[in-house]
Amino acid sequence: MKKTFKAITAVFSAALMLSGTCISVSAENVQPRGNWYMYGDVNNDGSINIADVVLINKAVHIFDELTGDVKLPVNYAVSKPAVYFPSVETPVPQAADVDGDGFITTEDSAMIQRAIVHLDDIGRCGQPFYVN
């Protein structure tokens, strides 16, 4: 049994190498890595503005439609950014969690709105963070 399995594995591996086939990663699974970002800048355009608020509210709405819950876990958004931020080429879902609770909610978008108009209680909005 072991010899048969090894033989099949060897043949399969050789066929893959000879065919030049490679495994590609779809764009929806690629996350920004090895860069500095800013909490609140969800669309990664270099500024925190109302567009980031709209993106958060849309992402929460999409998650609510799919699950019935209004608290989108950051790790869900990171693993499938194309689902929750379909209109953005390189979103940074981690930047949406400005209150640091591990979820993307309308409270995060409210904090960004307060930051835009220079009010208090803005959480981590505007603070840099590193994704490795």
Side-chain angles (χ1 to χ4, degrees):
M1 179 73 171
K2 284 185 178 181
K3 287 183 181 181
T4 305
F5 180 73
K6 285 183 180 180
I8 291 171
T9 304
V11 169
F12 182 69
S13 296
L16 279 175
M17 287 191 291
L18 291 174
S19 69
T21 303
C22 65
I23 298 171
S24 64
V25 177
S26 67
E28 74 172 331
N29 292 327
V30 175
Q31 283 299 295
R33 302 266 186 240
N35 288 313
W36 284 94
Y37 300 98
M38 187 171 31
Y39 284 108
D41 185 17
V42 181
N43 61 2
N44 198 23
D45 68 352
S47 64
I48 299 170
N49 53 40
I50 198 69
D52 300 301
V53 172
V54 171
L55 284 174
I56 289 173
N57 290 337
K58 284 183 178 180
V60 170
H61 176 74
I62 291 168
F63 188 69
D64 182 30
E65 290 289 313
L66 293 172
T67 67
D69 192 357
V70 294
K71 292 177 72 173
L72 169 58
V74 173
N75 60 338
Y76 283 28
V78 167
S79 67
K80 296 288 185 184
V83 171
Y84 302 107
F85 304 99
S87 62
V88 182
E89 189 174 321
T90 57
V92 184
Q94 301 92 324
D97 183 23
V98 295
D99 65 4
D101 67 353
F103 296 93
I104 299 170
T105 64
T106 54
E107 180 57 31
D108 295 304
S109 65
M111 284 186 171
I112 294 173
Q113 291 176 52
R114 289 193 292 270
I116 291 170
V117 295
H118 307 289
L119 296 176
D120 292 333
D121 190 23
I122 60 170
R124 302 182 295 183
C125 199
Q127 294 178 8
F129 68 98
Y130 187 77
V131 177
N132 54 7

